[in-house]
């Protein structure tokens, strides 16, 4: 398979060559799990922005955010979880990842399934809060639409090629917008490189009927990043998540497609900076102190 144009850019090559791909083994009550982590920016920051990989990609998909935000003095961690067959197991493993890095408060960004898991982690830890804020990109709060007509247990047995076909069937074929088309090609490349167990486990979580209890999250600062031209999340799911967080900020992108963090990265990065600005000069700031912007 030929390389996508984004994977050949100097920006992506710089990301791969300048950042160490860490493999962190954590252990919880269910056993061991290996996380892939890209950790950049000032290590002394104790409340970083953590970006959770979507169903169809690795921690590399947020390279544009990692490079741009870390250059402004923000500690950014892009993470990709181990094979977990339930949202509860994923949340337990993620909690132990935070323990490994000695973090007790974090800001979470997630796209698609990554955003759903970010919400579930905030929900599960609400009595002893570890999540300060959420940025949800083309995400959802209820898996019922994805579980219709699906038997999650089948994903345990499906071969890799069938799992990849299942995921790729949800992608748009192409786009007349060059940036969106490039983002699709890059994400196809990501899916093709994923192993069977990783894909199967994410599909199982995404298609197992469950939902977020928003009353446990409404105290959080929440931004919803939504694409007008995103066929990957139905209008019903968009309406549902907006109803869950009526006080959340809405950031709309007209031409970002399914993967705006790639196709409209500058807009997404601006929305992230606006979201995080609220925490400047507080103990929850993700900035290095010397790099904090001046807030009027």
């Amino acid at each position: 398979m030929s390389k996508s144009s984004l994977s050949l850019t100097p920006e992506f090559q710089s990301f791969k060559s300048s950042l160490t791909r860490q493999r962190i083994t954590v252990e919880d009550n269910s056993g061991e799990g290996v996380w892939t982590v890209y950790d950049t920016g000032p290590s002394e920051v104790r409340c970083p922005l953590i970006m959770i990989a979507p169903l169809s990609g690795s921690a590399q998909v947020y390279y544009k955010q990692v490079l741009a935000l870390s250059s402004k003095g923000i500690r950014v961690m892009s993470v990709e979880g181990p094979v977990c067959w339930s949202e509860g197991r994923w949340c337990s493993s993620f909690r132990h990842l935070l323990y490994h890095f000695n973090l007790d408060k974090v800001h979470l960004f997630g796209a698609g399934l990554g955003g759903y898991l970010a919400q579930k982690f905030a929900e599960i830890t609400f009595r002893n809060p570890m999540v300060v804020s959420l940025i949800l990109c083309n995400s959802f709060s209820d898996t019922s639409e994805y579980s219709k007509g699906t038997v999650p247990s089948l994903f345990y047995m499906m071969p890799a090629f069938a799992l990849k076909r299942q995921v790729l069937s949800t992608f748009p074929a192409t786009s007349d917008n060059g940036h969106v088309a490039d983002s699709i090609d890059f994400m196809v490349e990501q899916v093709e490189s994923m192993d069977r167990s990783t894909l199967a486990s994410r599909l199982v979580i995404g298609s197992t009927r469950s939902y977020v209890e928003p009353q446990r999250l409404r105290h959080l600062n929440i931004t919803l990043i939504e694409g007008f031209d995103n066929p990957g999340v139905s209008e019903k799911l968009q309406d549902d998540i907006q109803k869950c967080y009526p006080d959340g900020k809405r950031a709309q992108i007209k031409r970002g497609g399914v993967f705006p963090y790639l196709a409209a990265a500058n807009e997404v990065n601006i929305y992230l900076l606006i979201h995080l600005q609220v925490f400047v000069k507080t103990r929850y700031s993700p900035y290095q102190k010397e790099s904090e912007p001046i807030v009027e």
Side-chain angles (χ1 to χ4, degrees), residues 126-138:
F126 88 106
R127 293 191 186 281
N128 184 21
M130 300 183 77
V131 178
V132 177
S133 75
L134 291 170
I135 309 101
L136 308 174
C137 179
N138 285 346

Side-chain angles (χ1 to χ4, degrees), residues 155 157-169 188 191-197 199-200 203:
F155 294 129
M157 301 175 285
M158 289 173 67
F161 79 88
L163 293 168
K164 291 174 183 179
R165 186 169 58 192
Q166 175 86 14
V167 174
L168 294 175
S169 68
V188 168
V191 172
E192 293 291 358
S193 68
M194 293 171 71
D195 64 75
R196 195 200 72 82
S197 295
L199 266 180
L203 285 166

Side-chain angles (χ1 to χ4, degrees), residues 106 213 253 260:
V106 294
E213 297 182 41
I253 297 177

Side-chain angles (χ1 to χ4, degrees), residues 12-291:
F12 184 63
Q13 295 303 315
S14 171
F15 170 85
K16 291 204 300 181
S17 63
S18 62
L19 297 184
T20 302
R21 176 174 174 263
Q22 300 183 53
R23 300 278 287 171
I24 308 296
T25 301
V26 300
E27 186 171 355
D28 61 11
N29 293 335
S30 300
E32 289 188 348
V34 180
W35 286 79
T36 298
V37 179
Y38 293 94
D39 183 6
T40 186
S43 59
E44 68 270 18
V45 169
R46 308 314 305 162
C47 188
L49 170 65
I50 299 184
M51 312 191 78
I52 301 170
L55 185 151
S56 54
S58 70
Q60 294 181 343
V61 303
Y62 299 130
Y63 74 93
K64 289 176 178 282
Q65 287 68 50
V66 170
L67 293 176
L69 299 184
S70 63
S71 71
K72 296 184 180 296
I74 296 172
R75 184 178 182 186
V76 188
M77 302 170 70
S78 187
V79 305
E80 176 186 347
V83 172
C84 296
W85 298 97
S86 70
E87 60 191 31
R89 171 70 210 288
W90 187 95
C91 289
S92 175
S93 187
F94 184 62
R95 188 201 300 258
H96 282 78
L97 179 72
L98 300 188
Y99 292 161
H100 174 87
F101 283 99
N102 195 28
L103 302 172
D104 60 355
K105 302 289 183 184
V106 294
H107 305 276
L108 297 182
F109 173 98
L113 181 65
Y116 174 75
L117 290 171
Q119 293 170 81
K120 291 304 292 186
F121 182 75
E123 174 194 307
I124 286 171
T125 59
F126 88 106
R127 293 191 186 281
N128 184 21
M130 300 183 77
V131 178
V132 177
S133 75
L134 291 170
I135 309 101
L136 308 174
C137 179
N138 285 346
S139 194
F140 51 90
S141 57
D142 188 326
T143 65
S144 59
E145 189 162 318
Y146 298 114
S147 65
K148 289 178 182 176
T150 302
V151 181
S153 59
L154 290 179
F155 294 129
Y156 288 89
M157 301 175 285
M158 289 173 67
F161 79 88
L163 293 168
K164 291 174 183 179
R165 186 169 58 192
Q166 175 86 14
V167 174
L168 294 175
S169 68
T170 66
F171 285 18
T174 186
S175 171
D176 57 3
N177 180 308
H179 295 299
V180 172
D182 288 344
S183 72
I184 295 169
D185 289 344
F186 183 85
M187 294 303 289
V188 168
E189 187 176 270
Q190 286 278 310
V191 172
E192 293 291 358
S193 68
M194 293 171 71
D195 64 75
R196 195 200 72 82
S197 295
T198 298
L199 266 180
S201 62
R202 293 183 189 181
L203 285 166
V204 166
I205 292 176
S207 61
T208 299
R209 186 177 288 269
S210 185
Y211 59 90
V212 175
E213 297 182 41
Q215 68 274 16
R216 297 186 174 188
L217 279 65
R218 285 181 180 150
H219 64 287
L220 298 176
N221 188 303
I222 297 174
T223 295
L224 305 176
I225 299 178
E226 306 160 341
F228 284 142
D229 60 340
N230 171 31
V233 178
S234 71
E235 195 171 316
K236 180 184 181 301
L237 287 178
Q238 288 187 349
D239 289 343
D240 287 347
I241 199 168
Q242 290 164 17
K243 289 174 184 175
C244 283
Y245 311 115
D247 297 325
K249 302 182 188 72
R250 293 181 63 186
Q252 297 178 324
I253 297 177
K254 291 184 178 179
R255 298 284 281 169
V258 182
F259 314 112
Y261 43 88
L262 291 167
N266 289 340
E267 288 181 70
V268 170
N269 294 347
I270 289 170
Y271 287 137
L272 284 168
L273 291 172
I274 292 171
H275 175 93
L276 294 171
Q277 193 171 31
V278 175
F279 303 98
V280 170
K281 306 298 182 186
T282 74
R283 65 182 289 251
Y284 303 123
S285 175
Y287 285 88
Q288 184 179 40
K289 289 194 181 299
E290 297 77 14
S291 304

